[in-house]
Amino acid sequence: MSAHTPTLLLSVDYEDWHQLVRRRVGASNWREAGPALARQTDALLALLDELHARATFFVLGMAARAHPELLAAIVAAGHEIGCHGDAHLPVHSQTPEEFTADLRAARATIEDLTGRTPVGYRAPAFSITASSEDWAYRVLAQEGFAYDASRHDSPALRDRAVPATAAPHRLNHAGDAAADAAGDAPGAGLWEFPVAVWRTGRMGGIRIPVGGASYWQGLPTPVILRGLSEAGPLAGLYLHPNELDPEPLRALLPADATPTQRAHAKLREAQRNGARRRAPRVLKAIAQRFELIPYGEAHARLDGSA
Ligand SMILES: [Zn+2]
């Protein structure tokens, strides 16, 4: 990589697809450890090693507790450990007190299993919305987080909190000038690292989300590469372990599952298997064109120079 190679931030929302899909369809066994996260983790770590790329793993507390043996290899490979919350419930559906408790539960699990204290946060399904961002960022700052990576200006997200700029920036919610000056405005000091979105068309009116592997299945690789090159500096990428699964995803519902639950699970399987087929190839193409680094490394560079 030359000094002029553009840089993107690479992340993994580290969660157990089986827990999430089973809960979504209402299956009785959803809390159990799924059968695939270990092989997905192996595939993911092997691919990142092959690409000489390090990433931030935003770890979901409940997935880590179901698979306490899996985090050690991630840490040993030199990846950053971030926080994806504990129960994977939308931030906007929680009270500030519930959100605080969710962050603390996740952090306690992560510290217990890795000895690391995460300073970066990614909301489940980018669920810090315009109507919840003020209190959510205040809670994150109060809980000692240094950066957030939850803003995703995708047209598919309702009531999304639109980033002030595509580049990483400090969050400083206006409102109370005295509080701003004192540095204790909601979220003051917290850095935001937006997900890569290609703003194209007249007046930048068309937004094409190019940062997430779940969107890559519908886009030709040259379009993804062009979009990433125009998404702004240090734009964010995100993957899920299930997108690197070497085997087809099957929800494997329990014997008491209803026909409706089985049909719902089949639909989710089909969606995820589509993304799964493209993700490794697209990531390889991206890694040939861009330097991929963890969020914490970018934060250290920016915060040190601010
Ligand atoms: Zn997630």
Side-chain angles (χ1 to χ4, degrees):
M1 293 276 171
S2 81
H4 301 291
T5 305
T7 302
L8 297 172
L9 310 182
L10 182 59
S11 65
V12 178
D13 290 356
Y14 192 73
E15 58 200 30
D16 181 337
W17 179 81
H18 283 89
Q19 283 185 317
L20 298 181
V21 75
R22 288 166 173 174
R23 181 172 68 183
R24 181 137 183 160
V25 305
S28 59
N29 64 340
W30 71 267
R31 281 179 198 278
E32 292 170 16
L37 189 58
R39 71 174 187 238
Q40 293 168 1
T41 305
D42 287 347
L44 186 51
L45 291 177
L47 178 62
L48 296 181
D49 186 53
E50 178 191 331
L51 301 179
H52 306 290
R54 281 177 306 113
T56 301
F57 282 64
F58 292 107
V59 172
L60 185 68
M62 73 177 192
R65 282 192 300 281
H67 303 270
E69 72 290 0
L70 295 183
L71 297 188
I74 298 169
V75 172
H79 301 292
E80 178 190 10
I81 301 294
C83 178
H84 194 36
D86 199 71
H88 212 275
L89 299 174
V91 172
H92 61 74
S93 74
Q94 302 178 55
T95 65
E97 293 72 27
E98 288 166 343
F99 182 47
T100 303
D102 183 81
L103 292 174
R104 290 181 181 178
R107 197 164 50 192
T109 293
I110 292 166
E111 287 176 346
D112 187 38
L113 292 173
T114 68
R116 309 259 172 120
T117 298
V119 297
Y121 177 73
R122 156 80 44 74
F126 307 101
S127 56
I128 296 179
T129 49
S131 48
S132 57
E133 61 174 333
D134 277 354
W135 64 258
Y137 290 130
R138 185 185 304 118
V139 168
L140 282 170
Q142 283 168 353
E143 290 301 304
F145 284 88
Y147 71 86
D148 173 75
S150 306
R151 289 204 182 193
H152 188 192
D153 191 11
S154 162
L157 296 170
R158 232 183 291 161
D159 191 34
R160 63 190 183 275
V162 176
T165 161
H169 54 279
R170 268 187 202 277
L171 288 171
N172 196 3
H173 287 264
D176 183 339
D180 272 5
D184 57 359
L190 197 67
W191 279 84
E192 176 62 33
F193 291 88
V195 172
V197 173
W198 185 19
R199 290 165 185 80
T200 182
R202 208 178 299 165
M203 310 287 285
I206 300 170
R207 289 162 163 73
I208 304 176
V210 286
S214 46
Y215 289 93
W216 294 345
Q217 60 179 310
L219 297 169
T221 301
V223 170
I224 296 168
L225 295 174
R226 165 120 191 252
L228 288 173
S229 69
E230 297 182 10
L234 299 172
L237 302 176
Y238 65 94
L239 308 163
H240 298 91
N242 69 68
E243 288 151 354
L244 278 298
D245 198 321
E247 296 178 32
L249 293 158
R250 299 280 173 255
L252 303 172
L253 298 186
D256 66 1
T258 65
T260 305
Q261 288 174 331
R262 292 187 187 286
H264 191 175
K266 278 266 171 272
L267 186 66
R268 308 293 299 181
E269 286 170 5
Q271 288 170 340
R272 301 321 299 166
N273 281 318
R276 190 181 61 82
R277 280 189 280 272
R278 288 261 293 146
R281 268 183 292 154
V282 175
L283 189 66
K284 283 181 191 180
I286 292 171
Q288 286 175 358
R289 193 78 72 85
F290 299 88
E291 181 192 18
L292 303 175
I293 67 169
Y295 283 68
E297 203 168 301
H299 176 260
R301 284 183 203 170
L302 291 168
D303 206 47
S305 65

